[in-house]
Amino acid sequence: AIGVVSQDGTYNDALGIALGSDWPVASAINVIDTSHYISAVFPPGPLQIYSKPMEQLTVSGSGAADLQTLADTGGAGSLVVLDTGAIGTGGTSLAARRVMLPLGRDANFNWDYLNASGRLLLHRALQWGMGAELGAPPPQLLFVSGGSLDTVVTPTAQEQLRIDLIEAWGYAVTLIHASQSQADFDTALANSDVAYVSSAVTEVNLGTKLKDATIGVVNEQGALVDEFGFGLQSVNYKSRHEIDVVDNTHYITEPFSLGTLAITSSSQMMIQLQNDLAPGLQSLAEVSTDRPMLAVLEMGASMVWSGTAAGRRAKLPWGMSDFDIDALNNDGKTIMKRAIEWAAGQD
């Protein structure tokens, strides 16, 4: 009488899903129904869930009378659900929710190849199995890119890795290029809950377009610390793999103990703010006394030049364009995730 999420086709009949199963090899599923909680965050059409082709699971034979197919592979249902009370195989009413995932058998399936979309799909399947319903839409994140701009914005490879992480955390990501107009930014900001500025963005392209944004902004780029009011642009770069947590009363650093915290698996260029810091700046992690690496401005906090922050602002410890996001360990990813959550108002 509890929800069951399955990736084992041998149980399809026992779970009331379908009489049989099959295992085609592919890297993508085809999303055909986005009205369901599990699939609501994905666009219709092909969705890559693996980083390379692997075995998937699909139904075969007769399916349950009330089976709902959210995605297929080669025309056969590969992401299917049955709600509580639905009629399953054998004509019986199910005591609880059932989900069949499009994931292959152990011998032909490697969890390391499940990408961010695949992990998010699994995450939402478990949530729905536990009773989650469609409610508020996913939070909207505006990703400011320094990639290329033609008819559309194309993020850099490193930016795409960041986007994959953010989407895996449940955000709907919209892209905007740093060089687009203030009017473009104003329109995009009106439909966003939080903004994220990548280290590939240049100061010349972005300037002060986000200075008066009333939504939270998470910034990587050290050259923009003055535009966001953290301090004068006199940052210093150090090759490190750790930060020194000096304040764990804040939402972002709450999970960590005071002291040294490794956030990358290898040495990367980190940013430290220098002199002339904003009066309202709160330093969460430093490299030495009064040299913040992770810092925040609360909405209404006094900025460096004059005035107050129109929305929450967070400066991450990294910020050079060659920073490898793959080097972030779990603690580094937690800081990035919680910085976005705090900026968006989740504290």
Side-chain angles (χ1 to χ4, degrees):
I2 63 171
V4 178
V5 179
S6 172
Q7 70 170 99
D8 192 334
T10 60
Y11 293 107
N12 274 359
D13 192 18
L15 292 173
I17 293 170
L19 295 182
S21 55
D22 200 2
W23 292 271
V25 173
S27 61
I29 58 175
N30 180 46
V31 179
I32 60 176
D33 184 348
T34 58
S35 66
H36 195 275
Y37 177 86
I38 298 174
S39 54
V41 294
F42 302 110
L47 176 71
Q48 297 287 330
I49 61 170
Y50 297 157
S51 60
K52 59 179 63 178
M54 279 195 303
E55 195 174 78
Q56 294 186 13
L57 170 60
T58 64
V59 297
S60 68
S62 299
D66 290 336
L67 192 69
Q68 185 176 358
T69 300
L70 308 183
D72 64 39
T73 301
S78 52
L79 175 61
V80 298
V81 297
L82 286 165
D83 210 339
T84 305
I87 303 302
T89 53
T92 56
S93 178
L94 296 178
R97 290 174 165 177
R98 306 289 183 250
V99 183
M100 189 201 80
L101 294 170
L103 309 183
R105 294 170 290 191
D106 284 349
N108 300 301
F109 173 78
N110 187 333
W111 283 96
D112 290 337
Y113 297 155
L114 191 65
N115 66 16
S117 294
R119 295 193 296 270
L120 179 57
L121 186 152
L122 169 63
H123 181 69
R124 292 182 70 85
L126 292 169
Q127 288 180 321
W128 183 75
M130 292 188 292
E133 302 288 356
L134 274 176
Q140 304 292 312
L141 183 140
L142 181 65
F143 190 95
V144 185
S145 170
S148 60
L149 174 62
D150 192 0
T151 54
V152 296
V153 181
T154 303
T156 67
Q158 276 288 316
E159 286 181 331
Q160 188 59 55
L161 292 174
R162 288 158 167 79
I163 292 167
D164 290 345
L165 272 178
I166 293 167
E167 289 180 335
W169 295 331
Y171 293 86
V173 175
T174 300
L175 288 169
I176 191 169
H177 195 272
S179 65
Q180 289 182 238
S181 69
Q182 183 68 63
D184 290 339
F185 269 84
D186 292 343
T187 299
L189 289 167
N191 297 297
S192 303
D193 300 303
V194 63
Y196 191 95
V197 180
S198 90
S199 58
V201 167
T202 65
E203 180 184 19
V204 172
N205 278 339
L206 183 61
T208 59
K209 294 170 190 171
L210 288 173
K211 176 179 177 289
D212 297 323
T214 56
I215 65 171
V217 179
V218 178
N219 174 45
E220 290 185 352
Q221 177 54 265
L224 290 165
V225 296
D226 52 340
E227 279 81 3
F228 288 119
F230 292 103
L232 296 184
Q233 189 184 322
S234 56
V235 298
N236 192 21
Y237 297 90
K238 286 186 174 291
S239 179
R240 292 170 65 95
H241 71 276
E242 76 283 341
I243 57 177
D244 301 315
V245 178
V246 296
D247 184 349
N248 61 0
T249 65
H250 193 275
Y251 178 83
I252 297 174
T253 48
E254 190 176 36
F256 308 111
S257 300
L258 296 177
T260 303
L261 176 71
I263 62 171
T264 58
S265 58
S266 60
S267 291
Q268 299 285 323
M269 295 305 292
M270 305 282 185
I271 288 179
Q272 64 177 31
L273 304 180
Q274 295 289 87
N275 302 315
D276 300 310
L277 302 178
L281 181 139
Q282 184 177 357
S283 177
L284 306 183
E286 299 176 349
V287 67
S288 60
T289 305
D290 298 327
R291 296 292 185 270
M293 299 184 79
L294 173 63
V296 295
L297 287 168
E298 180 60 272
M299 180 179 5
S302 297
M303 296 186 295
V304 64
W305 51 80
S306 64
T308 57
R312 286 179 164 177
R313 307 289 184 253
K315 173 66 191 78
L316 294 173
W318 54 88
M320 289 194 71
S321 60
D322 59 354
F323 179 85
D324 183 4
I325 202 73
D326 273 340
L328 281 182
N329 62 18
N330 287 335
D331 289 338
K333 291 175 184 176
T334 297
I335 285 176
M336 177 178 170
K337 180 175 183 288
R338 290 178 74 89
I340 295 171
E341 290 171 348
W342 176 78
Q346 302 172 52
D347 60 340

